[in-house]
Amino acid sequence: MQGFIEALFVLLSPTCLLYLLLGAFAGVVLGSIPGLSGGTGLVIMLPLTFHMEANLAIATLVGIYIGGVSGGYIGSILLGIPGTTNSIATVYDGYEMTKKGEAVRALSAATTANFIGTAPSVLIALFASNWISAWAVKLGPWEYFSLMLCALTLVITLSQGNIAKGMISMGLGLLIAAVGYAPICGTNRFTFGTYYLYGGISFVDVMIGLFAGTTILLEFARNSKSSQADIVKISRFQFPWKDFADNRVNVIRSWILGLVIGFLPGMGGTLANMVAYAQEKSSSRHPELLGTGCVDGVIAPEVANNASIGGAIIPMVSLGIPGDGACALLMAALTLQGVQPGPLFSTNEPVLFNLIFLAAAMAALGVFLLEIIGMPLFPALLKIPYHYLYPAILILVFAGAYMSSNNMFDVFMMLFAILLGVLLQYFELPSAPLILAVVLGGNIETYLRRGCNMAENGWHAFFTRPVSLILLVIALVCVVVSLLGPGLKKKPVS
């Protein structure tokens, strides 16, 4: 309780509150622009946080995270182009409502759904994380290895229907994580005689290249232009009392789906958004209206993708496993500050632990008020000229890579990561397994070798300890189902 109170006082300090709200505003702007996302803002800010106080750094990044997820619906509703992948399903009915002259109703419903999805989920996550952390400290290296392997497997099995591509991506991530000194024994690996690689490839360089650099390069190559079409004028926010009263069951179901899906590593708001929409369409009393401009189809996905935020934070702070890409970046920021997320996080850093959840809840409130007040300005966000926006972001990308270690080698590694990101896109390899493998690669190897050294029977302990065995079985079942599932669904030839 003392840590909670101290975190509340820290958050309510003028400086911390200002950083949080500025981050939330930046996240909304980036999240609303198709082709960019809050993740771009997180990547740009990540190296800059190294020189910031830990509380201010985390408050800023959490604000960008919440704002980025929440702002995605603006492009979906007004342009029919999702600002982020978290708002793909929102397009189906949101844009149709705009074409029917109900843009304000759709925007108001999405704004309210965002707040309803985010605030309760992060507060519940606060208590759930404490309970999971208390349970996790009882686990050994065997269980942690199996848990992280299970997390990687879950991400691979969702790799665009092609598990082979997911495994290739994961292998690349593990290879990147293996560069530098080996854990336990300290052997040099893949350094090619340069001392710049002794400490491994910087996670910051990889994230900047894969997220921001690749996105800007590919969007420029596609000759993307900001929408100069005449977007309907938007009036003031209108609280959707009746819409939410009629969608009580829809809101509760979508919120639960988002929270649960967010907890599963690598799933995130995109899957929650799609699943909640599909579930609403299958259980609706008027499914024929979904896709024609029905507000139910806006509320369901927007509640779910924001509820996934709380779910994604739980494994990050309590187990050291990021729930989605944004949480991977938050983990990197904590690592840069010398803080290791995991079972002992709440004990060793109680103020920072509670600050993450309180900042997320406060950012949700700030974004809610910001979107209510600024709703008439939404069309202007979508008309920002990209030929001004992209060069500014690229400058920040290069500056961030250099500032992460103050040497040009990191800039070259960032350029290598951009090339890798382009190759991933060309060969249609999913980036999620690679990112998670880079984040968890060092820990997976450490726990594997530590488990083999600590047990009398070596690697057999991974199969004789009940929790470890259960997690390994789950991982195996996921792979088998993913491999055999498509074949089983095919109808036999008569």
Side-chain angles (χ1 to χ4, degrees):
M1 180 58 71
Q2 183 179 354
F4 182 87
I5 295 173
E6 289 183 21
L8 185 60
F9 276 108
V10 169
L11 180 63
L12 294 178
S13 66
T15 304
C16 191
L17 202 55
L18 177 62
Y19 276 61
L20 176 71
L21 295 178
L22 287 176
F25 174 74
V28 171
V29 172
L30 291 171
S32 66
I33 300 173
L36 299 180
S37 66
T40 304
L42 286 172
V43 169
I44 293 172
M45 279 300 301
L46 186 59
L48 305 180
T49 60
F50 182 75
H51 303 287
M52 296 170 62
E53 184 184 339
N55 295 331
L56 296 180
I58 296 304
T60 305
L61 294 176
V62 169
I64 295 174
Y65 179 25
I66 303 299
V69 175
S70 300
Y73 73 84
I74 298 175
S76 297
I77 292 174
L78 295 183
L79 287 179
I81 305 172
T84 70
T85 56
N86 288 349
S87 294
I88 291 175
T90 310
V91 172
Y92 303 148
D93 284 278
Y95 189 53
E96 292 299 321
M97 291 181 71
T98 297
K99 292 194 290 186
K100 290 163 59 176
E102 296 183 330
V104 173
R105 183 187 178 193
L107 291 170
S108 300
T111 299
T112 308
N114 282 342
F115 179 73
I116 291 176
T118 306
S121 72
V122 296
L123 293 177
I124 286 180
L126 171 60
F127 300 102
S129 297
N130 277 311
W131 178 80
I132 293 176
S133 295
W135 168 77
V137 294
K138 302 176 183 178
L139 304 180
W142 310 275
E143 288 80 13
Y144 277 115
F145 167 79
S146 301
L147 180 63
M148 292 181 178
L149 182 64
C150 188
L152 279 174
T153 305
L154 286 172
V155 177
I156 290 171
T157 54
L158 290 176
S159 300
Q160 303 172 1
N162 192 327
I163 192 171
K165 290 183 177 181
M167 286 185 171
I168 293 172
S169 181
M170 181 195 71
L172 289 172
L174 292 175
L175 181 62
I176 292 172
V179 174
Y181 287 116
I184 311 296
C185 65
T187 304
N188 250 337
R189 302 179 303 194
F190 308 115
T191 56
F192 305 105
T194 172
Y195 65 88
Y196 286 114
L197 289 175
Y198 284 2
I201 297 177
S202 171
F203 178 82
V204 175
D205 299 337
V206 175
M207 292 300 103
I208 290 177
L210 286 180
F211 275 96
T214 301
T215 300
I216 300 301
L217 182 62
L218 292 178
E219 290 297 323
F220 179 78
R222 295 180 184 123
N223 196 27
S224 295
K225 298 179 180 179
S226 57
S227 174
Q228 298 300 324
D230 291 330
I231 304 175
V232 293
K233 291 185 177 180
I234 305 299
S235 60
R236 295 180 180 178
F237 173 86
Q238 299 173 3
F239 199 90
W241 297 102
K242 186 176 184 302
D243 290 335
F244 276 82
D246 296 339
N247 279 273
R248 295 186 299 273
V249 176
N250 180 13
V251 169
I252 295 172
R253 180 178 60 245
S254 300
W255 185 86
I256 294 173
L257 281 172
L259 187 68
V260 173
I261 292 174
F263 179 79
L264 301 175
M267 307 297 183
T270 303
L271 183 64
N273 184 269
M274 300 294 291
V275 170
Y277 183 85
Q279 187 61 35
E280 170 59 19
K281 192 166 186 177
S282 65
S283 59
S284 174
R285 288 176 294 180
H286 39 77
E288 70 282 356
L289 298 181
L290 272 293
T292 63
C294 178
V295 74
D296 302 11
V298 173
I299 292 174
E302 286 302 315
V303 168
N305 65 15
N306 281 266
S308 70
I309 293 173
I313 292 176
I314 294 174
M316 179 192 75
V317 299
S318 58
L319 300 173
I321 298 175
D324 58 17
C327 284
L329 295 171
L330 289 176
M331 273 189 65
L334 288 168
T335 303
L336 288 175
Q337 296 291 337
V339 177
Q340 182 61 48
L344 297 177
F345 184 27
S346 59
T347 303
N348 296 338
E349 299 286 345
V351 175
L352 203 55
F353 174 85
N354 286 281
L355 181 66
I356 292 175
F357 297 98
L358 291 174
M362 184 66 74
L365 177 60
V367 167
F368 184 49
L369 297 176
L370 176 67
E371 290 175 342
I372 288 176
I373 297 170
M375 186 170 290
L377 301 177
F378 283 175
L381 295 177
L382 303 176
K383 291 189 176 184
I384 299 176
Y386 285 7
H387 58 277
Y388 295 135
L389 190 64
Y390 285 171
I393 293 176
L394 276 178
I395 290 173
L396 293 173
V397 164
F398 278 89
Y402 180 79
M403 291 176 63
S404 65
S405 63
N406 293 323
N407 69 69
M408 284 299 297
F409 182 79
D410 281 83
V411 176
F412 294 131
M413 293 310 301
M414 184 268 294
L415 292 173
F416 166 76
I418 292 177
L419 176 61
L420 178 61
V422 172
L423 291 175
L424 290 178
Q425 291 281 337
Y426 181 79
F427 291 106
E428 297 183 349
L429 296 174
S431 60
L434 185 147
I435 293 168
L436 194 62
V438 171
V439 174
L440 300 181
N443 285 333
I444 287 179
E445 183 179 2
T446 300
Y447 290 129
L448 174 63
R449 301 181 71 168
R450 190 176 293 168
C452 291
N453 291 338
M454 291 173 61
E456 295 181 359
N457 53 355
W459 58 268
H460 295 87
F462 291 97
F463 300 94
T464 57
R465 294 176 68 91
V467 175
S468 177
L469 177 61
I470 291 172
L471 291 169
L472 290 175
V473 169
I474 292 174
L476 179 62
V477 169
C478 288
V479 173
V480 171
V481 170
S482 181
L483 287 172
L484 301 182
L488 294 175
K489 289 180 181 178
K490 293 181 180 178
K491 295 182 180 180
V493 180
S494 56

